[in-house]
Amino acid sequence: MTGKVGISRMLTLEVTRVTERAAILSSLLAGRGDEKAADQAAVDAMRKELNRLDIDGTIVIGEGERDEAPMLYIGEKVGTGNGPKVDIALDPLEGTTLCAKRMPNALAVLAMAEGGSLLHAPDTYMDKIAIGGGYPAGLVDLDATPKENIAALAKAKGVDISEINCCILDRPRHADLIAAVRATGARVSLITDGDIAGIINTTDPTTGIDIYLGTGGAPEGVLAAAALRCTGGQMQGRLVTSSDEQKARAAKMGVKDFNKKYDMHEMASGDVIFAATGVTDGNMLEGIRHVRGGITTHTVVMRSSRGTVRWVKALHPSIDIFK
Ligand code: VTB
Ligand code: MG
Ligand code: MG
């Protein structure tokens, strides 16, 4: 291969192993009503697998600060140290509630990029907007109204506004947003959790989701931006720091302008690898299945420098190797 293509492509399969292990071990706790235990299983599994990799890795996006969940902490070093310097963003179990209730779309998620190229976002909320690929840059904007964004998207797609479907997290804080979107004539697809999948769904026409709007976790925002860098699409995010304590945390991570609107290229720059493995069945990935002969995993792994999107179905002969 010629030309510079960023971090080693060999890592594509390595990161797949990391999300596979996290998904398998957290899936053993799916449906058991214990979010923390499922999250802990995913965290431990990711740490174990990451520490086997020949990388000089730093966790720059973890999760859990906000709700004191078990986390791979920000700043933690992972890997053998013998390899490229990489930044790692992860959500070992995206949708802990989905997993604990055995509802669809729980995922194990990780992004890896060249050192210094992922936004160091605190675990606060983030306002987000995303659409799929193939539209002129700047078609939608976080600072435009839902009506303006949806009208612009409908026009670009050449469809009536009534045919636009907007994905939003089902939260009381979104009551006005949901009403505003419905008032345009568009439809709203509500999700209970899991906005990484909600955002990625905008890039896949078969999901029927055209646009994502609303406020969710900032770590999930950076992970979704990493995914969209690979699939194509547009996304913007803005941190929501509502207290002095949150502002202090953001400042500690290097954020200078608390109102900055980040384009996805500023949240994830350079060469990025993104991987997600299904824990429970979802509209993007199959969940973990115990079958005759072992356990199956379903992973999507993508890389921004080439834009390759791989769907990896794996059969692992025995759970024992993961324990
Ligand atoms: C958000 C969303 C995530 O949790 O962080 C949400 O981005 C938490 O929001 O995908 P609430 O505080 O309103 O529950 C998820 O849905 C799952 O981590
Ligand atoms: Mg998590
Ligand atoms: Mg999450």
Side-chain angles (χ1 to χ4, degrees):
M1 192 186 318
T2 56
K4 184 177 183 308
V5 289
I7 56 176
S8 170
R9 65 211 282 252
M10 309 250 273
L11 289 169
T12 314
L13 189 56
E14 303 301 318
V15 300
T16 304
R17 282 202 193 87
V18 177
T19 55
E20 282 176 353
R21 174 182 281 269
I24 289 170
L25 289 174
S26 56
S27 80
L28 296 175
L29 292 144
R32 301 193 193 280
D34 189 342
E35 302 182 10
K36 288 241 153 74
D39 208 9
Q40 186 73 62
V43 168
D44 293 345
M46 270 204 180
R47 181 180 282 119
K48 192 166 185 177
E49 202 65 45
L50 279 168
N51 280 331
R52 288 193 175 136
L53 301 188
D54 280 332
I55 53 169
D56 177 1
T58 308
I59 307 295
V60 298
I61 297 277
E63 195 220 0
E65 244 184 298
R66 191 177 56 223
D67 48 7
E68 288 171 12
M71 62 190 292
L72 270 152
Y73 64 86
I74 294 164
E76 182 171 338
K77 294 279 180 199
V78 290
T80 61
N82 304 315
K85 253 194 190 330
V86 293
D87 276 359
I88 296 163
L90 42 82
D91 196 348
L93 182 55
E94 156 68 338
T96 52
T97 309
L98 299 176
C99 179
K101 294 185 175 176
R102 207 158 183 269
M103 287 165 67
N105 282 316
L107 304 173
V109 184
L110 180 145
M112 197 178 273
E114 294 164 285
S117 47
L118 295 175
L119 176 69
H120 296 201
D123 192 7
T124 59
Y125 284 122
M126 179 185 271
D127 278 336
K128 308 174 194 179
I129 183 168
I131 57 172
Y135 302 109
L139 182 73
V140 296
D141 196 287
L142 206 50
D143 290 325
T145 63
K147 193 173 174 185
E148 288 165 339
N149 283 324
I150 287 168
L153 183 59
K155 194 167 169 216
K157 287 173 86 81
V159 302
D160 193 74
I161 286 180
S162 64
E163 290 178 51
I164 297 292
N165 200 347
C166 176
C167 180
I168 302 178
L169 270 171
D170 192 5
R171 294 290 185 278
R173 64 176 178 270
H174 289 150
D176 291 348
L177 174 64
I178 293 166
V181 171
R182 288 193 179 132
T184 68
R187 281 196 287 200
V188 174
S189 287
L190 291 172
I191 51 172
T192 63
D193 283 291
D195 70 353
I196 298 179
I199 288 172
I200 295 175
N201 283 342
T202 64
T203 69
D204 174 0
T206 66
T207 63
I209 301 294
D210 303 297
I211 180 167
Y212 178 90
L213 290 176
T215 308
E220 284 89 345
V222 175
L223 283 159
L228 260 59
R229 284 283 324 288
C230 304
T231 59
Q234 297 182 31
M235 180 184 169
Q236 294 174 332
R238 179 180 279 128
L239 296 173
V240 181
T241 46
S242 47
S243 65
D244 286 347
E245 183 266 336
Q246 289 188 352
K247 284 195 173 67
R249 268 199 283 132
K252 218 172 103 191
M253 301 187 79
V255 176
K256 293 193 180 72
D257 176 1
F258 299 125
N259 292 314
K260 184 177 162 55
K261 181 168 62 180
Y262 294 95
D263 182 69
M264 66 185 201
H265 295 89
E266 296 171 289
M267 292 193 263
S269 59
D271 190 16
V272 181
I273 297 173
F274 173 94
T277 302
V279 177
T280 55
D281 280 347
N283 59 355
M284 184 164 70
L285 292 161
E286 239 174 48
I288 301 300
R289 302 219 170 134
H290 293 255
V291 296
R292 212 181 260 270
I295 309 154
T296 61
T297 51
H298 193 200
T299 303
V300 63
V301 57
M302 26 201 187
R303 180 143 176 265
S304 68
S305 66
R306 296 279 187 226
T308 328
V309 179
R310 291 183 169 84
W311 299 90
V312 182
K313 255 293 189 50
L315 174 69
H316 309 270
S318 158
I319 186 103
D320 298 336
I321 59 168
F322 295 101
K323 288 183 171 159

